[in-house]
Amino acid sequence: MERIATLTMNPAIDSSCEAETVSPTHKIRTHNERYDPGGGGLNVARVLHRFGAPVEAIYLSGGPTGALLDGLLDNAGLARTAVPMHDQVRMSLAVYERSTGHEFRFVPEGPAVSQAEAQAAVRAVLDNPCPWLVASGSLPRGVAPDFFASLSAPLAQQGRRLVLDTSGAALKAAFEAGGIYLAKPSIGEFEILLERKFASPQEIGAAALELVRAGKAQLIAVTMGERGAVLAHQAGVVTHPGVQAVARSATGAGDSFVAGMVHGLLRGEPPEQAFRRGIAAGTAAVLTPGTGLCEPAEVERVLSELP
């Protein structure tokens, strides 16, 4: 199986806990606290590592929280390359309210990153020999929106595949540059990208297929939460209605989808089957409380039950 590198420009320490009731002013007692490496690429790396895929994590790290993140990744057994930054890694918090089943998520904007630090991350990526790069998550303050777009040409020259999961101006710039192997926007991100609303999965598929045939990406998977997902590739469009399930947490569902689909592709599965594996991984993450993401056994169970 080919090796995969993941890139996380805005990593986090994801903390999660449970409380009976969340209310203002009063001290809220919590239970089942846990701390995990977070941010798009690190979440993808965690899931791929659980699947047994050979993965390396590249990420920015700084400050006392950066040292904590480094230790959490070591504890998880992940191969890693930390690119130093002067600012510190953000800390997010997800609180599951037992009385209602609601989840409250608090996500800081993250550090300010210098141009030199961003270029050091580029060098770390281009010096890495892994044939696949999964660039996932937001860009921190100070990093230009065309950061991911600037990676596509040099990665293509190296014969490497770029998998991209980001949003906003960074996603738009990357699609303008083209050369993406797999892009995974959510429906909201896809609508912002194309500046229009879509009334049906068929409309989404048609728009995604236009981008594929224009050479912007070989595969585009648009996720729609409980409404399923749409895959466009050169052979056409595949839609899936998804799985109706009681969500315990939304943390890392999209990242789990990416990890599941990439793992399927690495296993030699055709895009349609890898797409199903991504849906199963995203669903399994939703069924897992807090920041636990998904486990391989649960992914296989969901995959066996997909319509």
Side-chain angles (χ1 to χ4, degrees):
M1 184 178 289
E2 290 183 314
R3 295 189 66 83
I4 317 102
T6 68
L7 174 63
T8 314
M9 291 299 291
N10 198 5
I13 296 168
D14 284 344
S15 57
S16 65
C17 61
E18 298 180 7
E20 191 60 34
T21 304
V22 176
S23 58
T25 307
H26 300 287
K27 185 180 293 184
I28 300 169
R29 297 292 181 180
T30 62
H31 312 274
N32 298 329
E33 295 86 1
R34 64 177 291 165
Y35 301 90
D36 291 295
L42 292 182
N43 285 338
V44 172
R46 288 169 58 199
V47 175
L48 284 171
H49 180 68
R50 291 176 188 175
F51 289 159
V55 60
E56 303 175 25
I58 302 170
Y59 62 102
L60 293 175
S61 182
T65 51
L68 175 57
L69 177 61
D70 297 343
L72 290 171
L73 289 166
D74 289 340
N75 289 342
L78 274 169
R80 62 180 181 85
T81 297
V83 179
M85 63 177 176
H86 72 284
D87 209 341
Q88 64 180 3
V89 171
R90 59 185 174 150
M91 296 189 70
S92 67
L93 173 64
V95 182
Y96 178 77
E97 188 178 45
R98 293 172 174 173
S99 60
T100 63
H102 294 158
E103 183 184 50
F104 298 86
R105 301 170 67 192
F106 304 90
V107 183
E109 63 180 347
V113 173
S114 70
Q115 184 176 359
E117 291 164 344
Q119 286 305 306
V122 170
R123 288 194 298 273
V125 166
L126 298 182
D127 289 343
N128 185 286
C130 292
W132 292 68
L133 175 72
V134 179
S136 181
S138 60
L139 291 175
R141 290 175 293 154
V143 177
D146 66 349
F147 178 84
F148 293 130
S150 69
L151 292 174
S152 60
L155 288 173
Q157 291 171 359
Q158 293 179 343
R160 300 166 65 185
R161 288 177 166 175
L162 172 62
V163 177
L164 182 63
D165 182 10
T166 190
S167 60
L171 181 63
K172 186 175 182 64
F175 265 98
E176 288 174 351
I180 305 166
Y181 179 68
L182 166 63
K184 193 225 69 70
S186 68
I187 176 59
E189 293 163 351
F190 195 62
E191 288 179 336
I192 291 172
L193 172 69
L194 296 185
E195 299 179 344
R196 55 177 286 202
K197 291 287 186 180
F198 295 97
S200 68
Q202 290 72 28
E203 287 188 8
I204 295 168
L209 187 58
E210 284 186 19
L211 292 171
V212 169
R213 290 179 173 168
K216 301 302 183 182
Q218 293 188 41
L219 304 167
I220 300 177
V222 182
T223 53
M224 304 181 294
E226 62 182 14
R227 293 189 292 145
V230 176
L231 171 68
H233 60 125
Q234 285 293 346
V237 174
V238 179
T239 63
H240 195 284
V243 180
Q244 298 298 316
V246 178
R248 295 291 306 277
S249 173
T251 301
D255 301 323
S256 295
F257 178 101
V258 171
M261 186 163 177
V262 168
H263 186 233
L265 294 168
L266 289 168
R267 287 162 50 100
E269 294 175 353
E272 297 88 347
Q273 178 60 20
F275 174 62
R276 286 169 52 85
R277 188 172 295 278
I279 292 171
T283 302
V286 165
L287 297 173
T288 304
T291 55
L293 303 178
C294 62
E295 295 292 342
E298 183 70 359
V299 174
E300 293 299 328
R301 181 192 69 78
V302 175
L303 183 61
S304 69
E305 297 175 359
L306 283 182

